[in-house]
Amino acid sequence: MINYTNLVIASVIFVLILDLLCKTNLIFKKAFWNFWAILFVILIIVNGYLTWRPIVIYNSVFFSNIRFFTIPVEDFFYGFSLVTFNLIIWETLSRRKK
């Protein structure tokens, strides 16, 4: 059975490989990691509120049930792959316009 944890791991691997293939090299840039430090704090506030209330409830059958405060760790990796994927597209398309 494919579950949320496996899909998140696959999406992170996909994004890291895509970053190298598109030659955006975001993962090697200090500005990228500074951006993620800020985004990490925002993610903790928003996602923490949603899972603490609980507005969003996760079924522990489908994820690792490892949490950072009330937030499943998979959410951090999902957010990483989601935003990084969009940044790769942005950088790639911006480079083509020049």
Side-chain angles (χ1 to χ4, degrees):
M1 178 171 111
I2 295 178
N3 57 32
Y4 185 52
T5 305
N6 292 337
L7 289 172
V8 168
I9 291 168
S11 71
V12 170
I13 292 168
F14 171 77
V15 165
L16 294 175
I17 292 170
L18 186 65
D19 183 44
L20 297 174
L21 290 175
C22 291
K23 297 180 179 155
T24 52
N25 297 320
L26 293 175
I27 60 172
F28 300 113
K29 296 178 181 175
K30 184 179 177 186
F32 174 76
W33 295 109
N34 289 337
F35 165 76
W36 267 106
I38 295 166
L39 199 58
F40 185 76
V41 172
I42 294 168
L43 187 94
I44 289 172
I45 293 167
V46 173
N47 206 347
Y49 177 78
L50 291 173
T51 55
W52 171 70
R53 288 282 305 165
I55 296 168
V56 177
I57 301 170
Y58 293 89
N59 186 340
S60 60
V61 172
F62 298 104
F63 75 103
S64 68
N65 210 20
I66 300 170
R67 295 178 180 260
F68 182 78
F69 297 113
T70 58
I71 307 164
V73 293
E74 288 90 348
D75 279 4
F76 293 102
F77 294 105
Y78 169 74
F80 173 84
S81 61
L82 180 72
V83 174
T84 304
F85 179 73
N86 284 284
L87 289 171
I88 291 168
I89 292 171
W90 179 273
E91 289 289 322
T92 303
L93 293 176
S94 295
R95 193 178 334 135
R96 288 184 183 169
K97 283 186 177 181
K98 293 179 183 179

